[in-house]
Amino acid sequence: MNEAAKKKLLQMIPHALYVLTSQAHDKTAASTMSWVNQASFKPPMISVGIKKDTFTFEVVKESKAFVLNYLGEGQKDIAQKFFKHVEPLGNTLAGEAFGPSPHLKFPVFPNMAGYLECKVTHIVDSGDHAVVVAEVLEAELGPASGPLLLTSTGWSYGG
Amino acid sequence: MNEAAKKKLLQMIPHALYVLTSQAHDKTAASTMSWVNQASFKPPMISVGIKKDTFTFEVVKESKAFVLNYLGEGQKDIAQKFFKHVEPLGNTLAGEAFGPSPHLKFPVFPNMAGYLECKVTHIVDSGDHAVVVAEVLEAELGPASGPLLLTSTGWSYGG
């Protein structure tokens, strides 16, 4: 394997940044994600690569559902807050106010570019991330202009 | 479901353009793809959303392997050639010369930005596209500068 070529080509796949939220029993998860892809038109489906050894993956496996909050341009500082584990404090997560999504009642951040409410249909548990395939149940736009492209942040996550 | 919001948010997910090739027995497939995502670091894995009612999906299901050729900036005209079914003519596909990839011996286009040779590990067959999860076996860079971003072409594939 040409490791340098593999790294460069995997980093060439374009990605944006999102904050995924989920809840199961008394657990609330909120994490920055970037490996998101459309998976079907009818029904509308997406796939998300979620790191397996994380609290967020544990909660998603249990709840079989999540909300994908789209970060807007210029919301890099918010993306950074959700790299580490955060616990809700009242109706805030990492200082960001949230409300309940319409069906799942999972955290939605009203100042972002919008969100998708999703129900998990399949989990492919093969590498260090799981490929979580989900159907989109509901969608709503927010006031921010999206997406927040990974390339615009100077960070990389891939390779 | 807010259909307009769903469409806008799904189209907000960034994508690039690639030509996926595969072979099984006497069949050769080559199709433009855009729903590509990284799926794991260790081992290196990707996922590709492949339309299910296509010749290319039929060949990938049979061969359980493919090559993902990365289109470069300015290769929109090549992307367009592989929207429709093409059959090889000597060592060309749609007028584009190809050679064999190192392990699989599937078509590689030497003028693009590079390629990944991949072995399929899982196929999630739920919507109108299958989520094909695969391990990267080999990678090589080409002379073109990539990626060819979908947004740069004026086309859309998502929503």
Side-chain angles (χ1 to χ4, degrees):
Chain A
M1 171 93 89
N2 180 335
E3 292 288 335
K6 184 260 292 173
K7 183 173 179 178
K8 190 161 179 186
L9 288 163
L10 289 176
Q11 291 187 343
M12 216 181 268
I13 301 171
H15 292 294
L17 291 165
Y18 314 81
V19 179
L20 182 148
T21 61
S22 186
Q23 284 179 329
H25 308 293
D26 58 341
K27 290 178 281 191
T28 296
S31 290
T32 302
M33 296 282 151
S34 64
W35 291 355
V36 171
N37 194 10
Q38 189 159 351
S40 171
F41 285 104
K42 285 185 194 224
M45 297 177 74
I46 62 170
S47 71
V48 185
I50 306 181
K51 196 159 184 279
K52 274 159 53 178
D53 61 353
T54 59
F55 179 71
T56 295
F57 182 56
E58 190 187 302
V59 175
V60 169
K61 262 196 304 190
E62 204 170 324
S63 68
K64 294 273 195 295
F66 61 83
V67 168
L68 191 70
N69 291 275
Y70 280 58
L71 287 155
E73 295 163 12
Q75 294 185 328
K76 179 180 171 180
D77 56 323
I78 305 179
Q80 187 143 25
K81 292 181 182 182
F82 293 97
F83 285 148
K84 61 176 189 297
H85 179 75
V86 293
E87 287 287 333
L89 191 66
N91 68 335
T92 65
L93 277 156
E96 299 294 321
F98 66 85
S101 67
H103 303 290
L104 302 167
K105 312 298 177 193
F106 290 175
V108 161
F109 300 99
N111 295 326
M112 294 187 185
Y115 67 85
L116 302 175
E117 271 192 306
C118 301
K119 183 174 168 265
V120 173
T121 60
H122 298 79
I123 296 178
V124 178
D125 183 4
S126 47
D128 52 20
H129 287 58
V131 178
V132 178
V133 182
E135 187 173 337
V136 178
L137 304 176
E138 191 53 88
E140 203 55 71
L141 292 168
S145 176
L148 174 60
L149 293 173
L150 185 61
T151 48
S152 78
T153 63
W155 300 328
S156 71
Y157 192 75
Chain B
M1 170 93 87
N2 180 335
E3 292 289 334
K6 184 258 293 170
K7 183 174 178 177
K8 190 162 179 185
L9 288 163
L10 289 176
Q11 291 186 345
M12 215 180 268
I13 301 171
H15 292 295
L17 291 165
Y18 314 83
V19 180
L20 182 148
T21 61
S22 186
Q23 284 181 328
H25 306 293
D26 58 341
K27 291 178 282 191
T28 297
S31 290
T32 302
M33 296 283 151
S34 64
W35 291 355
V36 171
N37 194 10
Q38 188 159 350
S40 171
F41 285 104
K42 284 183 194 224
M45 298 178 74
I46 61 169
S47 71
V48 185
I50 305 181
K51 196 161 183 279
K52 273 161 50 179
D53 61 354
T54 59
F55 179 72
T56 296
F57 181 54
E58 192 185 299
V59 175
V60 169
K61 261 195 306 190
E62 206 170 323
S63 68
K64 294 275 195 292
F66 60 84
V67 168
L68 192 71
N69 292 275
Y70 280 58
L71 287 155
E73 294 164 12
Q75 294 185 327
K76 178 181 171 180
D77 56 324
I78 305 180
Q80 187 142 26
K81 292 180 180 182
F82 293 97
F83 285 147
K84 62 174 188 300
H85 179 74
V86 293
E87 287 287 333
L89 191 66
N91 70 334
T92 66
L93 275 157
E96 298 294 321
F98 66 85
S101 67
H103 303 289
L104 301 166
K105 312 298 177 194
F106 290 175
V108 162
F109 301 99
N111 295 325
M112 295 185 184
Y115 65 86
L116 303 175
E117 271 192 305
C118 302
K119 184 172 168 267
V120 173
T121 60
H122 298 79
I123 296 179
V124 177
D125 184 3
S126 48
D128 51 21
H129 287 59
V131 178
V132 178
V133 182
E135 187 174 338
V136 178
L137 304 176
E138 191 52 89
E140 203 55 70
L141 292 168
S145 174
L148 175 59
L149 293 172
L150 185 62
T151 48
S152 78
T153 63
W155 299 329
S156 71
Y157 192 76

